């Protein structure tokens, strides 16, 4: 944005300087415009300021290649919780599983009606309780319908940032 501003400023100064001067002054106007453009480059170097981010040492203006896709195991069984009240993790890939206003592919296997037949974990009874009124519903509560708000699949991936997180002792 700054570069565009300076480019317009320089162009305006060049046009103004050339329009209002005679032939002897046009060289001076061009030199002044060139000096302003050079000062703008020095004043606005862009780049990353020498800081490394999750993007690496890539400049903000540069589009870098995408990271390789993470590997999601097909099915790794039940994944232990790391903290109390952690929503269960999804132990399988969810690629091409639609969870939208019109469809919820999770319920095809994990609803109480289908879980036994599909050999899948039943969703918790808490998902059938309306949080506003506390009433037990005959179907999944609308506030619990979008499973991926809480439940996430696990990929074979290194942490993005270092951490020293330790599981709760009671869950070891």
């Amino acid at each position: 944005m700054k570069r565009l501003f300076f480019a317009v400023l320089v162009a305006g100064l060049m046009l103004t300087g050339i329009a209002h001067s005679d032939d002897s002054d046009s060289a001076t106007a061009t030199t002044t415009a060139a000096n302003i453009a050079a000062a703008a480059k020095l004043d606005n170097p862009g780049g990353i300021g020498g800081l490394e981010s999750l993007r690496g040492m890539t400049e903000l203006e540069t589009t870098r290649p995408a990271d390789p896709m993470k590997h999601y195991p097909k099915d790794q069984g039940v994944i232990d919780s790391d903290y109390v009240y952690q929503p269960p993790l999804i132990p399988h890939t969810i690629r091409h599983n639609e969870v939208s206003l019109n469809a919820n592919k999770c319920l095809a296997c994990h609803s109480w009606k289908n879980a036994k037949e599909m050999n899948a974990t039943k969703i918790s009874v808490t998902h059938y309780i309306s949080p506003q009124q506390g009433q037990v519903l005959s179907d999944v509560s609308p506030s619990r319908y979008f499973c991926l708000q809480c439940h996430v699949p696990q990929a074979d991936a290194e942490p993005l940032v270092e951490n020293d997180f330790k599981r709760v002792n009671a869950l070891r």
Side-chain angles (χ1 to χ4, degrees):
M1 193 69 175
K2 286 182 181 180
R3 288 182 184 178
L4 178 64
F5 172 76
F6 283 116
V8 171
L9 177 69
V10 169
L13 286 173
M14 288 176 67
L15 289 174
T16 305
I18 293 170
H20 293 296
S21 65
D22 52 359
D23 290 336
S24 62
D25 290 336
S26 65
T28 308
T30 304
T31 305
T32 305
N35 289 342
I36 291 172
K41 277 187 175 179
L42 290 175
D43 200 29
N44 184 23
I48 58 174
L51 298 175
E52 186 172 357
S53 70
L54 293 177
R55 291 171 40 99
M57 291 297 285
T58 305
E59 293 189 10
L60 294 176
E61 294 87 8
T62 305
T63 301
R64 67 179 183 83
D67 293 334
M69 295 291 287
K70 305 295 185 224
H71 172 70
Y72 290 94
K74 289 205 185 280
D75 192 358
Q76 55 186 337
V78 177
I79 302 170
D80 292 333
S81 297
D82 289 326
Y83 58 92
V84 179
Y85 296 119
Q86 174 186 351
L89 301 173
I90 301 172
H92 56 79
T93 183
I94 58 169
R95 190 177 195 98
H96 307 298
N97 287 9
E98 182 180 0
V99 178
S100 68
L101 187 59
N102 300 321
N104 184 329
K105 180 70 172 166
C106 302
L107 296 177
C109 297
H110 295 281
S111 68
W112 279 48
K113 176 180 157 188
N114 301 330
K116 188 172 188 174
E117 179 184 332
M118 299 300 291
N119 196 25
T121 306
K122 290 181 189 176
I123 59 176
S124 169
V125 291
T126 60
H127 289 56
Y128 290 90
I129 299 172
S130 168
Q132 293 82 14
Q133 292 84 24
Q135 297 173 325
V136 177
L137 306 172
S138 61
D139 206 355
V140 174
S141 171
S143 64
R144 301 290 190 114
Y145 182 78
F146 296 100
C147 309
L148 301 177
Q149 288 180 332
C150 301
H151 304 280
V152 295
Q154 290 300 285
D156 264 346
E158 293 295 318
L160 291 174
V161 294
E162 280 189 47
N163 68 72
D164 56 0
F165 177 82
K166 293 176 181 54
R167 294 177 69 199
V168 174
N169 286 336
L171 297 176
R172 289 187 190 190

Coordinates of all heavy atoms in Angstrom, one line a residue, residues 30-31 36 94:
T30 N 12.4 16.1 -13.1 CA 12.7 14.6 -13.2 C 13.7 14.1 -12.2 O 13.5 13.1 -11.6 CB 13.2 14.3 -14.7 OG1 12.2 14.8 -15.6 CG2 13.4 12.8 -14.8
T31 N 14.7 14.9 -12.0 CA 15.7 14.6 -11.0 C 15.1 14.6 -9.6 O 15.4 13.7 -8.8 CB 16.9 15.6 -11.0 OG1 17.4 15.6 -12.3 CG2 18.0 15.2 -10.0
I36 N 13.0 11.5 -4.9 CA 11.8 11.1 -4.0 C 11.6 9.6 -4.1 O 11.4 8.9 -3.0 CB 10.5 11.9 -4.4 CG1 10.7 13.4 -4.0 CG2 9.3 11.3 -3.7 CD1 9.6 14.3 -4.5
I94 N -11.0 -37.8 8.0 CA -12.4 -37.2 7.8 C -12.4 -36.6 6.4 O -13.4 -35.9 6.1 CB -12.8 -36.3 8.9 CG1 -11.8 -35.1 9.0 CG2 -12.9 -37.0 10.2 CD1 -12.3 -34.0 9.9

